[in-house]
């Protein structure tokens, strides 16, 4: 399995290098989402970027990246936790048409009101406390350019990204200048040394094509690009798809609607069909399932079945 985040430092510790190519996690995430290929690509690029950024957060929580606008695409949103648990979704406007030649800007920022949001949300955040949120205009023609603009102007971190995605893989490479610029022994790194390393790494990565990102395993990609460099490698970090939706949560939600509302849906449709707003996973409840929701005590209620459609 290739679903690992790979992290490296250059020999002078001045530049961080990270890469990943997701396969199993990405296909799991797309299993219940019916999206045009172009939107799958944008969603996958944002997903890869979220994992690359989440791999560096210093708190227990999550990174949320969100592209939002008034075009055919209403929202593209990705969340990745510090444990590298990923979920991602995209929502198109009703009857939206996605032309094959559409761009990020035409899909999300045709009226100039598109926004890119970065949210850092600590786990266990107290009620009423607000997470860190950065919102900037939607700049750039690609997801990578949008993120690079944000990191440069909002976080003051020189960051470069190369991203690619299709319906089988999503992949990415990140270069980032290390803040502080000190060597392993704590001595300052000369500015000209750090600058030369940064320029060197960018020149190598700029030779990378999207097809290579999708085709090459991360280890092979790093060897191909940095074969002359002595890199410090860190332990691999596994990445997995995780959406917290489940059948019991859906059952609790239906119970909160009340029996009259659920019976009304049953009478009209013959079943209650719910799809997770985030991952699209479907849940079906037939008349027997729905009757079990409203038995007097939890002990009397039958198990609500499997997570799959009946």
């Amino acid at each position: 399995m290739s679903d690992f985040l790979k992290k490296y430092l250059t020999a002078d510790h001045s530049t961080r290098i990270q890469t990943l190519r997701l396969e199993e996690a990405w296909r799991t995430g797309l299993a219940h989402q019916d999206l045009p290929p172009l939107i799958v690509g944008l969603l996958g690029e944002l997903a890869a970027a979220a994992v690359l950024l989440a791999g560096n957060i210093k708190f227990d929580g999550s990174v949320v990246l969100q592209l939002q606008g008034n075009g055919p695409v209403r929202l593209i949103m990705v969340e990745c936790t510090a444990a590298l648990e990923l979920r991602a979704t995209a929502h198109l406007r009703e009857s939206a048409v996605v032309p094959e030649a559409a761009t990020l800007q035409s899909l999300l920022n045709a009226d100039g009101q598109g926004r890119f949001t970065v949210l850092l949300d600590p786990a266990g955040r107290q009620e009423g406390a607000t997470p860190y949120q950065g919102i900037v205009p939607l700049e750039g023609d690609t997801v990578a350019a949008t993120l690079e603009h944000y990191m440069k102007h909002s976080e003051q971190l020189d960051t470069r990204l190369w991203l690619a995605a299709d319906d089988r893989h999503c992949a990415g490479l990140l270069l980032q200048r290390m803040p502080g610029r000190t060597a392993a022994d704590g001595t300052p790194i000369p500015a000209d040394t750090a600058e030369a390393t940064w320029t060197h790494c960018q020149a190598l990565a700029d030779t990378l094509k999207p097809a290579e990102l999708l085709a090459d395993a991360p280890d092979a990609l790093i060897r191909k690009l940095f074969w002359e460099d002595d890199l410090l490698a860190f332990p691999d970090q596994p990445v997995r798809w995780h959406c917290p939706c489940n059948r019991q949560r859906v059952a609790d939600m239906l119970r909160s609607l009340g029996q009259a509302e659920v019976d009304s849906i049953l009478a009209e449709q013959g079943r209650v069909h719910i799809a997770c707003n985030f991952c699209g996973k479907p849940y079906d409840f037939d008349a027997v399932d729905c009757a079990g929701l409203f038995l007097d005590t939890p002990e009397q209620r039958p198990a609500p079945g499997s997570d799959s459609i009946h």
Side-chain angles (χ1 to χ4, degrees):
M1 187 182 75
S2 63
D3 290 10
F4 292 95
L5 175 64
K6 311 272 188 173
K7 302 174 72 171
Y8 307 84
L9 273 179
T10 53
D12 62 5
H13 287 217
S14 69
T15 298
R16 171 186 288 141
I17 303 170
Q18 295 179 186
T19 188
L20 81 162
R21 186 185 65 162
L22 303 184
E23 182 174 351
E24 182 179 336
W26 183 233
R27 295 184 195 181
T28 300
L30 291 180
H32 303 293
Q33 302 195 62
D34 184 17
L35 299 169
L38 185 59
I39 306 306
V40 168
L42 293 176
L43 183 64
E45 289 177 13
L46 196 66
V51 176
L52 291 167
L53 296 179
N56 298 319
I57 62 176
K58 306 301 183 184
F59 62 90
D60 181 18
S62 60
V63 172
V64 179
L65 304 181
Q66 180 175 295
L67 302 169
Q68 191 169 12
N70 291 325
V73 180
R74 180 168 58 85
L75 175 70
I76 299 176
M77 181 177 178
V78 176
E79 179 179 15
C80 188
T81 70
L84 303 188
E85 294 180 331
L86 172 71
R87 60 177 182 163
T89 189
H91 294 279
L92 279 63
R93 299 191 185 280
E94 188 174 354
S95 302
V97 176
V98 179
E100 291 186 7
T103 65
L104 175 68
Q105 290 293 324
S106 67
L107 290 171
L108 284 145
N109 199 30
D111 61 356
Q113 299 302 307
R115 292 290 181 266
F116 175 60
T117 302
V118 175
L119 188 74
L120 302 181
D121 193 8
R125 177 167 47 89
Q126 294 184 350
E127 186 176 353
T130 57
Y132 167 81
Q133 182 173 268
I135 305 175
V136 297
L138 190 54
E139 304 260 347
D141 294 327
T142 65
V143 171
T146 298
L147 273 159
E148 289 173 0
H149 177 268
Y150 173 85
M151 296 299 293
K152 176 73 172 179
H153 297 281
S154 296
E155 303 298 326
Q156 285 76 55
L157 279 176
D158 287 323
T159 304
R160 294 288 312 279
L161 287 151
W162 291 260
L163 305 168
D166 57 20
D167 62 350
R168 295 177 57 83
H169 301 95
C170 68
L173 173 73
L174 174 144
L175 300 181
Q176 195 169 70
R177 288 209 205 201
M178 294 295 291
R181 298 177 187 171
T182 57
D185 61 2
T187 58
I189 300 169
D192 57 346
T193 299
E195 183 66 30
T197 298
W198 178 244
T199 300
H200 167 72
C201 290
Q202 288 186 92
L204 294 177
D206 274 333
T207 67
L208 188 60
K209 302 295 190 294
E212 293 176 276
L213 265 175
L214 294 175
D216 293 345
D219 287 333
L221 186 74
I222 292 298
R223 286 195 298 270
K224 180 191 295 186
L225 292 176
F226 300 98
W227 63 277
E228 289 186 310
D229 294 273
D230 184 17
L231 301 181
L232 174 63
F234 293 87
D236 295 349
Q237 295 177 248
V239 183
R240 74 183 187 99
W241 178 271
H242 174 69
C243 184
C245 72
N246 58 51
R247 191 172 179 84
Q248 187 58 56
R249 288 191 177 193
V250 176
D252 291 341
M253 182 274 292
L254 292 175
R255 198 175 291 116
S256 71
L257 291 178
Q259 187 165 3
E261 179 67 21
V262 171
D263 286 347
S264 174
I265 298 172
L266 273 174
E268 180 180 341
Q269 302 179 10
R271 61 172 182 160
V272 177
H273 176 79
I274 303 289
C276 173
N277 283 335
F278 213 106
C279 72
K281 186 173 184 177
Y283 299 90
D284 270 19
F285 290 74
D286 62 18
V288 174
D289 294 328
C290 292
L293 296 174
F294 300 101
L295 293 177
D296 290 339
T297 65
E299 290 77 13
Q300 292 177 287
R301 296 172 191 149
S306 70
D307 279 353
S308 60
I309 295 177
H310 291 171

